[in-house]
Amino acid sequence: MSTTTQAPKALRGVGNWIDDRFHLAKTGEKNLRKVFPNHWSFMLGEIALYSFIILLVTGVFLTLWFNPSMAHTTYEGSYQRLNGVEMSEAYASTLRIDFDVRGGFLVRQIHHWAALIFVASLVVHMLRVFFTGAFRKPREINWLIGVGIFTLAMLEGLFGYSLPDDLPSGMGVRILQGVMLSLPVIGTYVSMFLFGGEFPGEDIIPRLYMLHILLIPGILLALIVAHFMILWHQKHTQYPGTGRSEKKVVGTPMFPGFAIKAGGFFFFVFAVIVALSAFVQINPIHLFGPFTPTAITSGLQPDWYMGFMEGSLRIFPNWLDFQIFGYAVPIGVLVPGLVIPGLIFGGLAAWPFLEQWITGDKRAHNVADRPRNAPVRTAVGVAGVVFYGILWLAGANDILSHTFSISLYWTTYFFRVAAIAGPIIGFIVAKRICLGLQRRDRETLEHGYESGTIQQLPSGEFIEVHKESSQETVHVLESKAAVDRIDDEAIASVEESESDGVEAPAARGLKGKLRAKLAHWYTKDNVSFEGVEAHTGHHLHHGAGHEEHEEMAGSH
């Protein structure tokens, strides 16, 4: 005999009352059965979300005791080494959080580590989306939202890092002011407005504080909610495989499987952040002392996500500066401080539309690419990573110079050359690796995988037996043929001609010719999988003469 478990009568009554007014029962059931693909890389975005939640909770805690004031005070607290030292109220209140508020130092450490992991997970998540082409139609808007979240997260981290008013954060604010001053004509006005006078002024900490706890978190929260609402509506991308298509998702239902997994993963992320905060000290402001405009120190580095800007400012030459109508244009600060970050973030935002224009591919894509199947895109991404990484390393050129006993000038010259040559080398190497992997995939699809079994032919020649790949592997490899068809159709649309062979009007102009050349460059080296059939059964393989060997082996 079977029994049916029902909710308690009171709960059923409440549920019916709500459903009568909002009709949520069917919608809720449909959403609870929503399927999420199973792959570890899809959890990178979850790490960013969970880190953001931890940032909000710990930020509220710290707000209760932090005093965002630059008013001068004399410290009289538990940290004896700074007793009697004049400092700002902001720095003194941070010391009180660290040494007088129960659990305050741990919470501040958790807040800082969560910020670092938040930005790091955003970077890795965006790289996953970029290299797999998950930004393509219909997800361009969500990609733009992601770029906006990434940009605001870096600003939020910079402003939060500056709030304690200790020596390292004050030096960071000083660099920020220098970048503002590099703006032609308006730079001094922007600086005076933000700082409330000459540097350091009296207003910068309160203003950064309001931006840090209200404006930017509010915008971030709105963008994250919009990001997930669009994701929920458009459904998740998935990697090619058995049973997966542009219209069919294979994975785990939202409830209970994915919900339990996501909940457990949140506590795992929280545990890792707390463990780091408990055992790995970060930003010990009590060791540096309060900021004064006349003090400076060496060997300090900003948080990792600002390292690329630090590096670009350090290595960019100053012999390009010039004056126009009596106004100085400090290229040595303007370009590395504003132009280079603008190119990085602007390039990220523009890439989906640029790739769509080059390839002519305007189809909706729900199945992600394997990075090797889009060698130019992958190579561009690797070039960007190399460029970012070189600038990031250049931000520690003084540490590298001291550690390895190398002249500081030589490290600067090296990074200047590497910032140009490195991305080019990275592009070439990454593209060649992708094309090599494509050839290997074609070989595997057409002839199977190497079994390690050696057989001798009647002629005395030794050859290796190739075995049939698994069905899952075959489906993954065959996805390249779909990419080839899309590429061919896109190129045909770019090079479209009239029935008499005359070029279409859109292809005659400079823009059309440029697009055709870029489309040809984008796809010309791809290894075609068209017409390649997956082999079945075990057979012998030995280079170009494998068909003859198969026949001999079959008759032997």
Side-chain angles (χ1 to χ4, degrees):
M1 182 179 68
S2 62
T3 58
T4 303
T5 303
Q6 291 186 341
K9 184 176 180 180
L11 292 180
R12 277 185 281 140
V14 172
N16 291 333
W17 187 87
I18 294 175
D19 189 55
D20 287 342
R21 287 153 180 80
F22 300 102
H23 307 291
L24 297 177
K26 291 184 178 180
T27 303
E29 181 182 1
K30 178 181 179 181
N31 287 328
L32 289 176
R33 300 303 299 172
K34 185 178 180 65
V35 171
F36 287 82
N38 292 317
H39 196 274
W40 64 267
S41 65
F42 294 127
M43 303 304 290
L44 295 170
E46 307 293 327
I47 297 176
L49 174 63
Y50 302 151
S51 301
F52 183 72
I53 294 172
I54 295 170
L55 281 170
L56 292 179
V57 175
T58 54
V60 171
F61 178 90
L62 296 174
T63 302
L64 300 177
W65 283 278
F66 181 71
N67 183 5
S69 172
M70 298 186 72
H72 294 283
T73 185
T74 301
Y75 180 71
E76 300 291 341
S78 301
Y79 189 62
Q80 296 298 319
R81 294 178 61 186
L82 290 177
N83 267 338
V85 175
E86 289 191 0
M87 59 186 66
S88 66
E89 287 281 2
Y91 186 62
S93 64
T94 307
L95 291 176
R96 283 194 292 272
I97 291 174
D98 285 353
F99 297 103
D100 298 315
V101 176
R102 188 181 297 274
F105 187 65
L106 177 62
V107 174
R108 194 173 72 82
Q109 292 275 106
I110 293 174
H111 191 74
H112 202 134
W113 272 113
L116 298 182
I117 293 176
F118 175 57
V119 182
S121 56
L122 281 176
V123 171
V124 182
H125 174 62
M126 290 183 67
L127 288 176
R128 196 276 303 174
V129 172
F130 180 87
F131 284 120
T132 61
F135 55 78
R136 294 172 296 175
K137 184 182 178 180
R139 296 175 177 82
E140 303 98 329
I141 294 177
N142 232 9
W143 172 258
L144 294 178
I145 291 175
V147 173
I149 292 173
F150 179 39
T151 307
L152 288 175
M154 293 184 64
L155 287 176
E156 176 77 344
L158 173 63
F159 294 164
Y161 176 83
S162 304
L163 290 180
D165 200 30
D166 59 315
L167 184 56
S169 68
M171 292 172 60
V173 174
R174 183 61 163 172
I175 294 173
L176 177 64
Q177 191 231 9
V179 174
M180 292 178 189
L181 291 175
S182 70
L183 293 169
V185 182
I186 65 172
T188 52
Y189 298 100
V190 173
S191 175
M192 295 287 284
F193 172 77
L194 185 62
F195 286 87
E198 293 289 346
F199 181 86
E202 296 292 331
D203 299 330
I204 185 63
I205 296 299
R207 288 175 176 176
L208 291 182
Y209 180 71
M210 298 309 295
L211 292 172
H212 183 71
I213 71 166
L214 286 179
L215 181 61
I216 298 181
I219 298 175
L220 278 174
L221 183 60
L223 290 177
I224 290 173
V225 170
H227 187 77
F228 276 92
M229 289 180 66
I230 294 174
L231 171 66
W232 193 275
H233 174 72
Q234 293 180 337
K235 300 180 177 58
H236 217 297
T237 57
Q238 58 184 343
Y239 294 118
T242 304
R244 301 165 190 172
S245 67
E246 298 289 354
K247 297 183 179 181
K248 181 179 179 182
V249 182
V250 177
T252 302
M254 171 65 186
F255 187 84
F258 185 80
I260 294 175
K261 181 172 67 174
F265 194 51
F266 168 78
F267 288 106
F268 180 78
V269 172
F270 181 67
V272 170
I273 292 176
V274 171
L276 285 171
S277 306
F279 299 108
V280 183
Q281 181 173 259
I282 187 171
N283 196 25
I285 64 165
H286 54 281
L287 300 181
F288 305 128
F291 172 71
T292 58
T294 58
I296 194 170
T297 186
S298 62
L300 288 176
Q301 307 296 319
D303 282 342
W304 74 267
Y305 47 85
M306 296 303 300
F308 82 100
M309 183 180 291
E310 176 89 4
S312 63
L313 287 166
R314 290 190 182 197
I315 68 174
F316 202 88
N318 62 354
W319 35 263
L320 297 174
D321 300 349
F322 63 93
Q323 288 191 355
I324 180 170
F325 301 117
Y327 292 99
V329 182
I331 296 296
V333 179
L334 180 65
V335 171
L338 291 174
V339 176
I340 290 179
L343 290 175
I344 292 175
F345 295 113
L348 285 173
W351 179 260
F353 308 98
L354 180 62
E355 180 180 299
Q356 185 181 96
W357 178 74
I358 291 174
T359 63
D361 181 13
K362 297 183 179 181
R363 299 187 182 188
H365 293 275
N366 296 317
V367 177
D369 279 341
R370 302 176 76 202
R372 67 187 65 181
N373 292 341
V376 172
R377 180 203 302 146
T378 301
V380 168
V382 170
V385 171
V386 171
F387 181 67
Y388 182 95
I390 289 173
L391 293 183
W392 182 74
L393 284 174
N397 66 340
D398 56 337
I399 303 294
L400 296 172
S401 176
H402 178 267
T403 303
F404 297 102
S405 300
I406 304 173
S407 168
L408 181 62
Y409 294 104
W410 281 111
T411 60
T412 302
Y413 297 146
F414 169 79
F415 282 119
R416 285 177 180 175
V417 175
I420 298 174
I424 297 174
I425 296 173
F427 179 92
I428 295 172
V429 172
K431 184 177 179 182
R432 300 315 302 176
I433 290 175
C434 288
L435 295 176
L437 291 174
Q438 285 186 14
R439 295 186 185 96
R440 190 187 70 175
D441 287 348
R442 174 171 176 149
E443 180 77 9
T444 302
L445 179 62
E446 193 171 14
H447 303 297
Y449 68 93
E450 298 175 353
S451 66
T453 302
I454 304 298
Q455 289 189 5
Q456 185 179 20
L457 295 178
S459 63
E461 181 180 6
F462 289 94
I463 60 174
E464 183 178 25
V465 176
H466 280 214
K467 291 189 176 180
E468 180 182 1
S469 301
S470 67
Q471 196 67 25
E472 176 71 16
T473 300
V474 170
H475 281 126
V476 171
L477 297 180
E478 285 181 337
S479 66
K480 176 63 169 61
V483 175
D484 290 339
R485 284 193 297 272
I486 293 174
D487 287 343
D488 291 341
E489 293 173 3
I491 295 299
S493 68
V494 172
E495 300 176 345
E496 181 182 1
S497 59
E498 297 178 2
S499 57
D500 57 358
V502 179
E503 287 183 321
R508 294 175 190 170
L510 180 62
K511 181 179 176 182
K513 293 183 182 300
L514 174 63
R515 183 186 179 194
K517 288 184 180 298
L518 288 175
H520 176 70
W521 165 76
Y522 193 88
T523 59
K524 63 177 178 136
D525 295 323
N526 281 2
V527 179
S528 177
F529 277 41
E530 285 293 333
V532 177
E533 296 182 1
H535 90 286
T536 56
H538 301 188
H539 70 284
L540 305 179
H541 177 62
H542 159 251
H546 68 278
E547 294 180 357
E548 177 185 352
H549 295 154
E550 287 174 8
E551 183 180 351
M552 294 174 63
S555 61
H556 184 64

